[in-house]
Amino acid sequence: MYSKDGEDYFVVDAHVHMWDGSDENQRNIHGAEFIECFYDYHRNLSPAEYVWDFRKYQKYSEENFMTDIFENGYADHAIFNPAALPAFYKNGFSRDIAQDMARRSPDRLTYNHNFDPRFGDAGIRRLEEAAATFGLKGVKIYTAEWKDDSRGFKMSDRETYRYLEKCQELGIKNIHVHKGPTIKPLDRDSFDVADIDHCATDFPDLNFIVEHVGLPRLEDFCWIATQETNVYGGLAVAIPFIHTRPRYWAQIIGELLYWIGEDKILFGSDYALWQPKWLIEKFVDFQFPEDMQGEYGQITVAQKKKILGLNAAALYPHIEVPEHLRLDTASTSAEPVGALE
């Protein structure tokens, strides 16, 4: 929980990782390129005092994670959204320790499974096994992953639909999809947000959390998420601009509030890309610059509370919000101004 100026904020970090980008785990040059690109995002968008040494960044410890997320980072709960990347890493990019951590701390950590529909029936079986083991509430999909000669897939592909149908059958409702900036050597167009329009229409009982709000295709994302009531925006990668490009950040959050509304935006640090402590502190302090308020108005404490944790808890009802940290939704909810209805 974070407290500031007499207000308490229930925090759910809805996008965290435990990864292994070490030299020993790299399968090829692309593994090195990927973690180096990740590090560039970390180094260039973080305050100087939060920049790690590269070797630590490649493979950090469970102690680092628990301290940064829960002790220093204010989180009441965090959600693992793993990336596999077996074409680049011998043992995969995401570490099995995340699964063990979630087992040991179910009150603080939720584990989401990662799937790639190009693995066919074998991948379906792994999804079923993970659902049985972890009681899955969500999955993470990385549409630009490489496999053999394929350099990505679409959420509208027939094989992807097989997996989404299986998610429905297994009661896995939250589908987190990386639709944001590319990471070298992956292809930018494989992260195009347009295919979300298809699957959100065809699977109205599933929630599609578009991670990174489609950047650099924010406008496309907003138009889709306005139309599709089951499409949400995850702020990972977007929110660090609050430090380096505060006016750009103001435009991003202003557009999101205008088009999709305060109930469909989720905080995520993308740890260890960035540490949540400074992101949360800067977000709670954030107000729109005076010359932008005529267009965007002002962001309220209630809106910040929803974005920082209450919206994610609504999608993951096993996350219990203490009664004194809840909001009276009848008095705080509002339709987004840009709703096309």
Side-chain angles (χ1 to χ4, degrees):
M1 185 180 73
Y2 180 60
S3 299
K4 181 72 182 289
D5 297 331
E7 297 286 351
D8 295 329
Y9 299 80
F10 184 82
V11 177
V12 177
D13 194 334
H15 194 130
V16 299
H17 301 277
M18 283 292 294
W19 66 55
D20 182 0
S22 64
D23 294 351
E24 296 74 20
N25 193 35
Q26 293 168 15
R27 186 179 297 279
N28 46 43
I29 185 61
H30 301 312
E33 291 173 333
F34 187 89
I35 192 64
E36 288 166 4
C37 184
F38 253 35
Y39 187 69
D40 286 342
Y41 277 111
H42 164 74
R43 180 181 56 196
N44 294 329
L45 296 184
S46 298
E49 63 269 30
Y50 290 96
V51 175
W52 285 357
D53 171 83
F54 179 63
R55 294 302 176 192
K56 175 181 178 180
Y57 188 80
Q58 284 183 286
K59 186 177 181 180
Y60 46 93
S61 69
E62 178 180 345
E63 182 181 0
N64 293 145
F65 178 98
M66 298 301 286
T67 297
D68 291 336
I69 297 293
F70 295 109
E71 292 183 30
N72 297 333
Y74 309 113
D76 296 279
H77 201 93
I79 300 172
F80 284 116
N81 276 303
L85 300 171
F88 300 163
Y89 296 99
K90 298 172 186 176
N91 299 311
F93 187 59
S94 296
R95 296 159 62 188
D96 290 344
I97 190 175
Q99 300 175 352
D100 184 53
M101 290 166 65
R103 285 193 191 97
R104 285 185 275 116
S105 301
D107 56 328
R108 303 175 84 182
L109 288 165
T110 292
Y111 178 78
N112 284 349
H113 178 69
N114 175 281
F115 75 67
D116 182 333
R118 294 167 296 182
F119 282 90
D121 290 342
I124 291 282
R125 288 193 293 273
R126 286 195 290 271
L127 176 60
E128 292 172 331
E129 291 167 0
T133 301
F134 298 103
L136 293 178
K137 305 295 190 298
V139 292
K140 172 68 180 299
I141 305 172
Y142 219 73
T143 57
E145 283 210 44
W146 291 7
K147 185 181 186 300
D148 302 325
D149 294 331
S150 170
R151 290 172 62 154
F153 60 91
K154 293 184 179 297
M155 292 298 296
S156 53
D157 289 345
R158 179 60 246 170
E159 276 300 299
T160 308
Y161 273 34
R162 282 188 64 211
Y163 279 67
L164 294 177
E165 290 162 359
K166 178 57 67 171
C167 284
Q168 282 192 148
E169 177 187 322
L170 296 171
I172 303 168
K173 295 200 64 173
N174 298 311
I175 315 298
H176 296 253
V177 191
H178 180 114
K179 292 291 186 180
T182 191
I183 302 102
K184 189 176 183 179
L186 303 176
D187 299 330
R188 188 183 79 106
D189 287 349
S190 294
F191 287 132
D192 193 304
V193 73
D195 53 355
I196 296 295
D197 199 10
H198 295 262
C199 58
T201 296
D202 294 338
F203 293 89
D205 295 331
L206 299 180
N207 304 313
F208 293 89
I209 299 93
V210 174
E211 297 296 349
H212 324 306
V213 294
L215 294 177
R217 303 175 176 92
L218 178 66
E219 185 174 9
D220 289 349
F221 166 72
C222 285
W223 282 86
I224 291 169
T226 296
Q227 173 181 290
E228 305 291 347
T229 58
N230 57 336
V231 173
Y232 297 74
L235 289 179
V237 174
I239 194 169
F241 287 107
I242 200 170
H243 170 62
T244 56
R245 295 284 308 281
R247 291 183 66 84
Y248 178 52
W249 157 255
Q251 180 185 4
I252 291 171
I253 193 64
E255 293 297 312
L256 291 171
L257 288 169
Y258 177 88
W259 288 104
I260 73 172
E262 64 201 54
D263 296 321
K264 297 211 296 177
I265 307 170
L266 278 65
F267 168 73
S269 69
D270 221 341
Y271 184 88
L273 271 156
W274 299 281
Q275 295 185 47
K277 176 179 173 62
W278 68 267
L279 294 172
I280 292 166
E281 291 174 352
K282 285 181 177 291
F283 178 66
V284 169
D285 289 345
F286 170 77
Q287 293 295 338
F288 286 103
E290 186 174 349
D291 65 329
M292 299 178 77
Q293 292 177 22
E295 183 172 1
Y296 294 125
Q298 199 50 275
I299 187 168
T300 68
V301 169
Q303 288 173 323
K304 292 175 180 178
K305 288 183 177 182
K306 288 182 177 184
I307 292 167
L308 277 178
L310 299 181
N311 290 342
L315 295 182
Y316 287 85
H318 70 286
I319 300 175
E320 185 174 352
V321 181
E323 187 171 354
H324 72 283
L325 295 176
R326 301 172 191 170
L327 290 175
D328 179 359
T329 55
S331 63
T332 60
S333 294
E335 286 296 315
V337 176
L340 300 177
E341 296 181 354

